[in-house]
Amino acid sequence: MAEKRASSRRYVNKTRRPGESIQARPASAPRGRVTPKATSTTGGRYTAPIPKEYKVSPIWVPIAMGSLLAIGMLVIVLNYIGLLPAAPNNWYLLGGLGLITAGFIVATRWR
């Protein structure tokens, strides 16, 4: 018959400091991930300071973003419908894609 092997799992206290002993998991503790309570408030990790001021974009930033995206989409659609002069033309398609790209670039500046 096959022998049962002892479980190779062991409890590792990840909040222990150098010099402290490793404690085994008590039998009454739940299985799975056990989160021991930290004894200090900082835990030895760096915490970034909370910003005191929030950056706010001027009102023209979201307006410019929406306008560039909408105009670029409109140019592409009107090109395929054939309502622009000399349509369909690849230059209209390139211009519409350029306007959409400019809209995405402005969107990265929105705070």
Side-chain angles (χ1 to χ4, degrees):
M1 286 195 200
E3 292 182 28
K4 273 190 153 179
R5 298 174 81 185
S7 176
S8 63
R9 293 184 192 179
R10 62 182 169 145
Y11 174 74
V12 178
N13 186 352
K14 293 186 179 181
T15 61
R16 98 180 151 86
R17 293 186 176 82
E20 290 182 345
S21 64
I22 298 175
Q23 300 173 356
R25 181 181 60 84
S28 62
R31 291 211 172 259
R33 185 174 200 137
V34 178
T35 55
K37 294 181 181 177
T39 56
S40 68
T41 57
T42 60
R45 294 185 181 183
Y46 172 75
T47 304
I50 299 172
K52 293 183 172 78
E53 295 181 17
Y54 294 101
K55 296 180 181 179
V56 179
S57 295
I59 191 67
W60 65 266
V61 173
I63 293 172
M65 176 197 68
S67 299
L68 288 169
L69 291 172
I71 293 171
M73 182 186 68
L74 188 65
V75 167
I76 291 173
V77 169
L78 291 177
N79 180 39
Y80 280 112
I81 293 176
L83 296 179
L84 295 175
N89 192 346
N90 286 339
W91 288 107
Y92 288 128
L93 178 63
L94 187 63
L97 290 174
L99 288 171
I100 291 174
T101 302
F104 281 128
I105 291 171
V106 172
T108 63
R109 308 291 184 224
W110 192 9
R111 305 275 181 222

